[in-house]
Amino acid sequence: MRICFLVTAVGFLFCATAANAADKTVHDRENGFALTFPPEWINEPPSGEAMRLSVQSPDRALTCMVSTSLYDASAPDSPSDPSKFIEGWSMETWKMMMGKSFSTADFSNDKLARFPDGYPVRLADLDFTVVDNGVRVHGHSRFAFSLRGARYGYVNCSVMSESAEQVEQMWAPLADKAEHVVNSFVLDPP
C-alpha cells in the first residue's frame, strides 16, 4: 500500500511539474517585468498607456493586466527607501494607490511576499464596483504591487459581472489560476 501511495505521489508531482513547465512566460525587457501564464491563455493588446500586458483565460472570464512605469525617487511624494515603503504598506496605502480607480474598493488578505532574490512585493485581494453611465459592475481582483530599482509595477487578475454573487461564483474556480499568475509577476532587478 505504501509503494502504491509513493508511486501515485511521484506521478502527481511529475504531472504538476510538467504542467507548470508548459506555462508561457513573457519577459518584457523594455518595460522591465516578466509574467507567466498558461499557454492556452489569450494575449490581448493592452488598453491605455499604462498597461503593458493583458492576458485572458480561454473563456475570457479572468483577465490579468500588468502596468509598469519608471520610478522617480526625487519626486516630492516618493519614498526614500522603496523596499521599506513596500514592507510598511497598509490597507490605507492600498486604498490611496489602487482604490481610487474604483467606485468602491474593499481590500483584504494583504501580505508581504518576496521576489526570488528577496525584493519585497505586496499582495492583496480586492472586492470592487465600478459605476459608469448608471451601469454598476462588480468585481474581484488579486493584486501584486512592487517598487524595484528604477521601476514600479503591478499585476491585477480580475473577474467582473453584474452582481457580487456572480463574481463570487466566477472567482471560486479561477482563484488558483489567478494566484499562480499573480505570484509569477517579477520586476527586473536594478
Side-chain angles (χ1 to χ4, degrees), residues 9-190:
V10 169
F12 175 79
L13 288 174
F14 177 78
C15 289
T17 302
N20 287 340
D23 283 351
K24 179 178 181 178
T25 298
V26 170
H27 187 182
D28 183 333
R29 284 177 174 70
E30 181 181 341
N31 294 300
F33 74 91
L35 189 75
T36 301
F37 51 91
E40 68 274 8
W41 280 30
I42 303 155
N43 191 340
E44 296 274 326
S47 61
E49 290 180 25
M51 289 302 137
R52 307 296 183 198
L53 177 68
S54 178
V55 294
Q56 292 184 329
S57 60
D59 61 1
R60 297 185 185 268
L62 180 65
T63 301
C64 297
M65 295 180 288
V66 174
S67 177
T68 63
S69 193
L70 293 175
Y71 171 66
D72 181 3
S74 65
D77 292 335
S78 294
S80 58
D81 184 347
S83 64
K84 294 260 188 276
F85 176 66
I86 296 296
E87 289 169 355
W89 192 273
S90 70
M91 289 303 214
E92 288 305 312
T93 309
W94 277 116
K95 290 175 186 173
M96 180 186 69
M97 298 288 291
M98 302 296 191
K100 59 187 175 187
S101 301
F102 304 95
S103 300
T104 65
D106 296 314
F107 290 91
S108 61
N109 300 323
D110 170 64
K111 71 178 183 178
L112 178 66
R114 302 272 175 202
F115 284 122
D117 67 356
Y119 202 83
V121 59
R122 280 321 277 211
L123 302 167
D125 288 308
L126 167 65
D127 289 305
F128 64 88
T129 59
V130 177
V131 179
D132 186 27
N133 293 325
V135 176
R136 179 180 297 269
V137 177
H138 298 266
H140 184 85
S141 290
R142 181 73 173 151
F143 271 97
F145 179 87
S146 193
L147 294 167
R148 189 175 197 195
R151 296 210 173 270
Y152 69 91
Y154 68 86
V155 60
N156 169 17
C157 289
S158 63
V159 297
M160 293 187 287
S161 190
E162 295 174 2
S163 74
E165 294 78 21
Q166 287 175 327
V167 167
E168 192 175 320
Q169 291 171 358
M170 291 170 68
W171 184 258
L174 297 170
D176 288 343
K177 287 195 184 296
E179 186 77 13
H180 178 70
V181 173
V182 166
N183 288 340
S184 77
F185 174 66
V186 178
L187 289 171
D188 288 349

